[in-house]
Amino acid sequence: MLKEADLYRDKLESQWDNLKQDASGYGKQALIIGGVVVTTYLLLEAILPDAKKKEKIELAEPVRPVLKQTVPKRKSKFAVGEAVQSLVWTLAVGWARKKLQNYIADDHESDEDNKS
């Protein structure tokens, strides 16, 4: 009876060790993926201008409105800034995907080498 209990305990401990190693490996992969995504986002936010941000000027005194006749500005059919931003995002995500694939392939190969 004690031998069986020791056998089961040993099996559970080895399974627990395997689970901890797997969790550690997956955690490292998740951290790397998250780091690549965050780095890409921060880099793009620093490089590309933000078209949505507009400064609002608040006046201390209310001003009577002056009627002016304005000519509407022509809007470009093709927004160059948005196209460049889209292209940069596409390239950055593609680069991050390639790096991730290479990391996973290298990690998988090292796991196979360790098991052999």
Side-chain angles (χ1 to χ4, degrees):
M1 182 76 165
L2 290 175
K3 288 183 181 181
E4 290 176 3
D6 288 337
L7 179 66
Y8 286 126
R9 187 182 63 211
D10 291 340
K11 285 183 180 181
L12 285 174
E13 286 177 357
S14 67
Q15 287 178 350
W16 179 248
D17 290 338
N18 290 338
L19 286 173
K20 287 194 296 188
Q21 289 174 352
D22 290 345
S24 174
Y26 292 135
K28 288 176 185 176
Q29 289 177 358
L31 285 175
I32 290 173
I33 293 168
V36 169
V37 169
V38 169
T39 302
T40 303
Y41 174 77
L42 292 176
L43 183 65
L44 291 177
E45 283 294 316
I47 292 174
L48 299 176
D50 190 9
K52 295 179 183 177
K53 290 183 180 177
K54 294 182 179 179
E55 293 183 20
K56 293 183 178 181
I57 300 174
E58 295 184 18
L59 300 175
E61 301 175 8
V63 178
R64 287 190 282 158
V66 177
L67 299 176
K68 292 183 181 180
Q69 187 175 9
T70 60
V71 178
K73 295 180 181 179
R74 290 185 179 181
K75 291 187 178 180
S76 171
K77 291 182 181 178
F78 183 71
V80 177
E82 292 176 7
V84 170
Q85 185 176 8
S86 176
L87 179 62
V88 170
W89 267 108
T90 302
L91 292 174
V93 169
W95 174 81
R97 182 179 54 83
K98 281 287 188 190
K99 288 291 187 182
L100 180 60
Q101 285 175 342
N102 291 339
Y103 175 77
I104 290 173
D106 292 342
D107 189 47
H108 185 63
E109 289 174 3
S110 68
D111 286 345
E112 288 178 355
D113 292 342
N114 289 340
K115 289 180 182 178
S116 298

